[in-house]
Amino acid sequence: MDSAAKRATAFGLLAILLWSTSVGLLRSISEHFGPVGGAALIYTVSAVCLSLACGLPKIRDIPRRYLWLGGALFVTYEIFLALAIGLAHSRSQSLELGMINYLWPSLTMLLALFINQQRSNLWLWPGLALSLAGIVQVMKGEGDWSPLQMWHNILDNPIAYGLAFAAALIWALYCNLTRRWSAGKNGVSLFFCATAIVLWLKFAFVSEAPIHFTLPSTLQLLFMGASTALAYSAWNHGIQRGNMTLLATASYFTPVLSALIASLWLGLQPGWAFWQGVMMVVGGSLLCWFATRKYG
C-alpha cells in the first residue's frame, strides 16, 4: 500500500475504535440524562457534527425509496438501540443488550440471500447458529442454562430485550436495502437529524426528570457526538481509499473491543461465560462472511 492508502486504512480502523465506545457511553449518558433525553441529546450533537463535517445532501438527489424507507429503518434502529441500552435495569444488562446488537452482521448475510440474491455456501448456517448460540451464552451468565431460565431473564426486561433484538434485525435489513436502493448516495446526515427530531418529540410526551447538565456528563455527550461524526467520516474515507479487506475483517472484531471498552468504562467484570459468548458471536460473523465472500 502507498502512504495515502495506509492513512486511509488507519482512518477506517479509527472508526472501528470510536464505534466500540458507543455501548459504554450510551449507558453512561442515559444514566445522567434519562433513556429518552440522553438519546435525544446524543443524536442532536451527532447530527450537528455530521452536518458540519459532511454537509446535508440535497433531498432531490437521493432515491425516494432509500430516502423514506431506508431513512425510516435507520431512525428506528438508532432509537431502538439507544433506548434498549438506556432502559437496561443494570450496567451488566446493558452490556448484554449491546452484544445482542452484534447479531446484525450474521443477519445481514442471511437477509442478503433473499433481498439481494447473494450466493453462499453451507457455512452460512453454522455461522448463524454460532452467533445465536453466542448470544445465549452471553445472556445465561455464569449459571447453568435452560430455556426457562433464559425466558425469565428476558421477562425481567422484555421491552429492552425486544428493542435490542429488533434493532439487530432492522440494521441488517437497512444494510441490504441501502445496497439495493441508495445508488451510491449517502443520507446519513439527514437520517441523524430525523432521529434527533423524533427523540425530542418522544421526550415531550414522557415523564422523565428535567435535563441537568454537569461537566462530566457534558464532556461525555460532546465526545460521543463528535466521535460519531468522525467515525462515519473516517469509515467512508477508509473504505473508499484504504485496504477494504483489512477493514472488513477488523470490523467483525468490534464486539470484543466494544465489550472490553464498555466493561472498563462502566466498571464491570464480566465472567468467562460472557467472553465465550462474545467470541462465539465474532466467530459466527466470520463464518457467515467466509460463506459469501467468494461470491462477491
Side-chain angles (χ1 to χ4, degrees):
M1 285 191 296
D2 59 28
S3 59
K6 288 180 180 179
R7 285 196 299 271
T9 303
F11 276 119
L13 294 173
L14 174 63
I16 293 172
L17 176 62
L18 292 174
W19 275 324
S20 298
T21 67
S22 60
V23 172
L25 283 171
L26 271 172
R27 178 61 188 182
S28 183
I29 292 170
S30 70
E31 290 175 352
H32 285 291
F33 299 112
V36 180
L41 286 168
I42 289 169
Y43 289 102
T44 299
V45 175
S46 296
V48 171
C49 291
L50 273 170
S51 298
L52 292 174
C54 306
L56 289 174
K58 295 179 180 178
I59 293 179
R60 66 175 179 271
D61 293 338
I62 301 177
R64 286 293 176 263
R65 287 190 296 183
Y66 170 57
L67 176 64
W68 296 109
L69 295 179
L73 289 170
F74 185 100
V75 171
T76 303
Y77 165 77
E78 298 291 349
I79 291 174
F80 277 19
L81 179 60
L83 292 183
I85 293 173
L87 291 171
H89 288 167
S90 65
R91 288 184 164 187
S92 59
Q93 191 176 81
S94 71
L95 202 58
E96 290 182 12
L97 294 164
M99 289 306 103
I100 290 171
N101 173 60
Y102 287 110
L103 279 173
W104 72 261
S106 299
L107 292 175
T108 298
M109 301 296 182
L110 176 63
L111 292 180
L113 298 180
F114 307 100
I115 296 175
N116 291 316
Q117 289 74 53
Q118 173 69 55
R119 296 172 62 199
S120 75
N121 59 38
L122 293 178
W123 282 108
L124 177 72
W125 305 106
L128 183 61
L130 185 59
S131 288
L132 290 169
I135 293 301
V136 171
Q137 180 77 355
V138 164
M139 291 174 62
K140 84 175 183 66
E142 299 301 315
D144 294 330
W145 181 84
S146 71
L148 185 61
Q149 163 126 22
M150 191 176 80
W151 181 244
H152 283 159
N153 289 343
I154 293 173
L155 289 180
D156 175 57
N157 195 349
I159 294 177
Y161 280 102
L163 289 172
F165 278 111
L169 181 60
I170 289 168
W171 191 249
L173 187 59
Y174 170 82
C175 290
N176 278 288
L177 293 180
T178 293
R179 180 182 178 89
R180 186 168 185 172
W181 291 344
S182 67
K185 302 298 181 180
N186 187 347
V188 168
S189 299
L190 280 176
F191 298 162
F192 261 86
C193 292
T195 303
I197 291 170
V198 172
L199 282 166
W200 282 119
L201 289 173
K202 181 174 177 57
F203 182 76
F205 293 98
V206 297
S207 56
E208 283 192 3
I211 291 175
H212 175 67
F213 290 94
T214 63
L215 182 59
S217 63
T218 302
L219 290 176
Q220 289 178 44
L221 176 63
L222 292 175
F223 173 80
M224 185 163 188
S227 68
T228 299
L230 178 58
Y232 274 97
S233 300
W235 182 254
N236 284 341
H237 183 68
I239 61 176
Q240 287 171 355
R241 304 183 184 182
N243 186 328
M244 181 61 187
T245 302
L246 175 60
L247 292 175
T249 304
S251 69
Y252 284 104
F253 291 91
T254 306
V256 178
L257 192 57
S258 177
L260 177 61
I261 292 174
S263 299
L264 294 172
W265 183 257
L266 299 174
L268 300 173
Q269 293 182 326
W272 174 236
F274 175 86
W275 291 110
Q276 281 181 312
V278 172
M279 293 306 298
M280 289 166 70
V281 172
V282 171
S285 297
L286 286 171
L287 274 179
C288 290
W289 171 72
F290 176 78
T292 59
R293 69 185 179 95
K294 71 178 182 178
Y295 297 103

